[in-house]
């Protein structure tokens, strides 16, 4: 009898009182790791690849190039690569938001850019062995990945693709230069509007002005623009009052792209 009471006091399996064997196994189970969902890219309706990579080439060539791409998706806070890592992969961002950062010699992280759908990430490393910045997702992200070596072969084999990549990267540089000019000359409201425009996905012909969601914190915006968080919050509240944006918890929804463009005075990217 005493032996039975002792078993009941600590549980039949020797575990703590009140914890069943099934629950004990669950508690002792190691946490799941976040894994990339990666597979071959078979999406024949990817508007970013169609507009940026495949423009002007034959269907046979498209199929050959698509065979080198892998489709991946991941959650927020996933490191795609770090500064100093070997530059082995290039990325075409299809959905989501990514922050690009550099770390100084004192270990302080500096936000250098926020990029989203339609961005060619890592293509500035062509010819360089290492990434010069780190890339981390801020939201659930979908992208196509291609090996650096495979892209070099594609570029050599298909000159039209080489031109398409050059035009896309040049467009990204022009957008960055426009934002730099805005930071030096515009008011705080215009700066906020220009930054929001810079991270919006490209606008394709035939699309209406549908709401676009961004995942941006006030702190990140303030760091990029060189203004205070309070100034960012005040101007965001004004844009919201005008009906240009909405700001549900954890995201920013652009409701009037054309009005935001007019306010910022920055040419809007197009992928047509």
């Amino acid at each position: 009898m005493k032996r039975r009471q002792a078993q009941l006091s600590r549980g039949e399996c020797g575990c703590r009182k009140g914890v069943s064997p099934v629950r004990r196994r669950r508690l002792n189970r190691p946490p799941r790791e976040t894994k990339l969902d990666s597979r071959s890219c078979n999406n024949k309706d990817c508007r970013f690849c169609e507009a940026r990579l495949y423009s002007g080439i034959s269907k046979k060539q498209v199929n050959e190039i698509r065979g080198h791409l892998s489709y991946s998706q991941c959650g927020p806070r996933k490191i795609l690569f770090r500064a100093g890592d070997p530059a082995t992969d290039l990325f075409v961002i299809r959905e989501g938001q990514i922050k690009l950062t550099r770390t100084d010699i004192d270990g302080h992280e500096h936000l250098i850019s926020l990029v989203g759908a339609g961005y060619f990430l890592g293509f500035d490393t062509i010819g360089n062995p290492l990434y010069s910045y780190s890339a981390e997702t801020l939201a659930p992200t979908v992208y196509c990945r291609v090996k650096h070596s495979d892209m070099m072969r594609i570029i050599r084999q298909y000159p039209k693709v080489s031109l398409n990549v050059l035009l896309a990267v040049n467009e990204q540089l022009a957008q960055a230069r426009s934002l730099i000019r805005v930071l030096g000359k515009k008011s705080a409201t215009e700066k906020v509007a220009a930054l929001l425009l810079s991270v919006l996905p490209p606008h394709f012909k035939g699309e209406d002005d549908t709401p676009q969601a961004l995942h941006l914190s006030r702190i990140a915006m303030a760091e990029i623009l060189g203004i205070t968080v309070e100034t960012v919050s005040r101007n965001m509240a004004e844009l919201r009052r005008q009906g240009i944006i909405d700001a549900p918890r954890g995201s920013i929804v652009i409701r009037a792209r054309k009005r935001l463009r007019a306010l910022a005075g920055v040419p809007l990217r197009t992928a047509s």
Side-chain angles (χ1 to χ4, degrees):
M1 184 66 180
K2 291 181 179 180
R3 182 181 177 184
R4 178 60 177 169
Q5 288 176 344
Q7 288 177 333
L8 291 174
S9 66
R10 67 177 184 269
E12 289 293 340
C13 64
C15 60
R16 292 177 300 172
K17 183 179 179 180
V19 180
S20 69
V22 174
R23 178 160 176 75
R24 183 167 179 259
R25 287 195 297 270
R26 289 176 179 174
L27 290 173
N28 292 333
R29 185 181 300 162
R32 294 180 179 178
E33 296 182 358
T34 301
K35 296 182 179 180
L36 290 177
D37 176 10
S38 180
R39 53 187 182 273
S40 297
C41 181
N42 295 316
N43 187 352
K44 298 182 179 180
D45 299 314
C46 178
R47 59 184 185 174
F48 298 120
C49 288
E50 290 291 342
R52 299 300 184 91
L53 283 178
Y54 306 149
S55 177
I57 64 176
S58 68
K59 289 184 178 180
K60 180 180 179 181
Q61 292 171 333
V62 168
N63 290 332
E64 291 176 359
I65 294 173
R66 189 178 285 126
H68 293 288
L69 300 177
S70 64
Y71 169 96
S72 299
Q73 56 186 7
C74 62
R77 303 187 64 80
K78 173 67 181 179
I79 304 295
L80 298 184
F81 55 81
R82 298 184 186 276
D85 287 348
T88 57
D89 296 286
L90 309 172
F91 306 82
V92 179
I93 309 304
R94 295 173 55 177
E95 298 176 19
Q97 210 79 45
I98 297 173
K99 70 173 181 178
L100 309 181
T101 60
R102 283 197 179 102
T103 303
D104 61 24
I105 57 175
D106 296 323
H108 298 130
E109 183 182 87
H110 298 279
L111 182 62
I112 58 175
S113 185
L114 296 167
V115 301
Y119 197 87
F120 276 27
L121 183 60
F123 281 70
D124 53 332
T125 65
I126 292 179
N128 297 321
L130 305 175
Y131 295 112
S132 61
Y133 51 84
S134 301
E136 179 182 354
T137 62
L138 296 175
T141 300
V142 178
Y143 57 87
C144 288
R145 179 201 301 255
V146 59
K147 289 293 182 183
H148 198 292
S149 55
D150 288 339
M151 178 54 69
M152 293 301 293
R153 283 194 294 270
I154 291 170
I155 287 175
R156 286 193 291 266
Q157 187 173 356
Y158 304 114
K160 180 59 178 176
V161 174
S162 177
L163 178 59
N164 291 341
V165 170
L166 178 62
L167 292 174
V169 173
N170 184 65
E171 182 183 307
Q172 292 173 185
L173 291 174
Q175 188 74 14
R177 288 193 295 268
S178 295
L179 184 58
I180 290 172
R181 287 195 296 269
V182 166
L183 297 182
K185 299 180 179 179
K186 300 290 185 177
S187 66
T189 302
E190 291 169 324
K191 290 179 180 180
V192 169
L195 177 59
L196 294 176
L197 277 177
S198 71
V199 294
L200 276 175
H203 199 224
F204 290 80
K205 280 186 177 180
E207 291 185 342
D208 55 11
D209 204 5
T210 54
Q212 298 282 341
L214 304 173
H215 298 270
L216 298 175
S217 70
R218 307 294 193 271
I219 295 175
M221 294 176 67
E223 184 175 351
I224 290 179
L225 296 174
I227 57 181
T228 65
V229 176
E230 291 75 14
T231 301
V232 171
S233 297
R234 185 168 59 252
N235 284 279
M236 292 288 287
E238 177 60 23
L239 293 176
R240 185 175 182 179
R241 187 189 66 79
Q242 296 180 26
I244 297 176
I245 69 169
D246 196 5
R249 186 175 181 84
S251 65
I252 301 169
V253 179
I254 308 300
R255 298 200 172 278
R257 182 193 290 250
K258 293 179 181 179
R259 292 174 61 193
L260 191 65
R261 176 186 179 184
L263 181 61
V266 176
L268 188 63
R269 293 178 299 173
T270 60
S272 55

